Amino acid sequence: MIFVTLLLSAFVHQLVPGPVPDNETRAIDIPLVCDARKGLLVPVSVQGAPARPFVLDTLRAGIDAHADDADYQARFARALLMDSEFDDAETAAKRSLELNADQPDANGVMAILHIGRMLTESDENERADHLEKARPFIRKLEELRPNHPLTMK
């Protein structure tokens, strides 16, 4: 669990580049916990309430104007993932990959979704199925970004 938490923290660090105003939270500072009800790792604030990366609303507002932009769709997918909107994150990541199969962030979102589902699954066959679904995305990440946390050997 700690490994996956660190892995996801490193992944979401790219959500909010540059300086962050005092009243806002950088995605990397958001701890993650396993939410059995949703079946995936969920960001939480220090107080335990769900955390909402402040970039999500901005990305959501521009999504229609960037419907054919793979990079924008991938950033949107990451923000959705961090806001625990897993189905929407998967949809946005798939859209990004349809536009550009070599989009590293979308591959990362898909890998994290499948790894998260694998970690919460009690049935061994289902766990293996989710791992197999994650493998192509992790392999693609290894090719595109060899130093990405998901591609550690």
Side-chain angles (χ1 to χ4, degrees):
M1 181 64 170
I2 292 171
F3 172 73
V4 173
T5 300
L6 293 174
L7 224 141
L8 289 174
S9 293
F11 176 72
V12 300
H13 176 63
Q14 299 168 20
L15 271 177
V16 188
V20 178
D22 289 339
N23 63 339
E24 296 183 356
T25 303
R26 181 179 284 274
I28 191 83
D29 297 329
I30 299 172
L32 300 167
V33 297
C34 186
D35 183 340
R37 293 167 298 159
K38 294 184 179 177
L40 284 172
L41 295 172
V42 178
V44 294
S45 69
V46 175
Q47 295 81 22
R52 184 177 180 91
F54 62 92
V55 295
L56 180 58
D57 292 333
T58 304
L59 290 169
R60 193 183 305 273
I63 198 68
D64 291 335
H66 296 85
D68 294 326
D69 182 343
D71 294 335
Y72 195 92
Q73 294 289 329
R75 282 193 305 275
F76 185 51
R78 281 194 316 203
L80 288 164
L81 176 69
M82 290 311 303
D83 199 46
S84 304
E85 296 184 31
F86 305 124
D87 292 337
D88 291 341
E90 186 170 9
T91 300
K94 285 180 179 178
R95 174 69 179 142
S96 176
L97 292 171
E98 287 172 4
L99 296 167
N100 179 6
D102 291 337
Q103 211 307 325
D105 296 327
N107 278 286
V109 167
M110 292 301 293
I112 287 171
L113 286 168
H114 288 297
I115 290 170
R117 290 173 182 148
M118 178 199 73
L119 291 173
T120 60
E121 185 61 56
S122 60
D123 180 83
E124 198 60 38
N125 291 329
E126 291 294 322
R127 289 175 60 89
D129 185 47
H130 286 298
L131 181 59
E132 286 306 310
K133 289 178 182 177
R135 282 182 203 269
F137 300 111
I138 295 170
R139 285 191 184 115
K140 182 56 98 169
L141 266 177
E142 186 174 33
E143 174 188 324
L144 300 170
R145 287 193 184 153
N147 295 325
H148 192 283
L150 284 174
T151 64
M152 293 186 319
K153 293 184 178 185

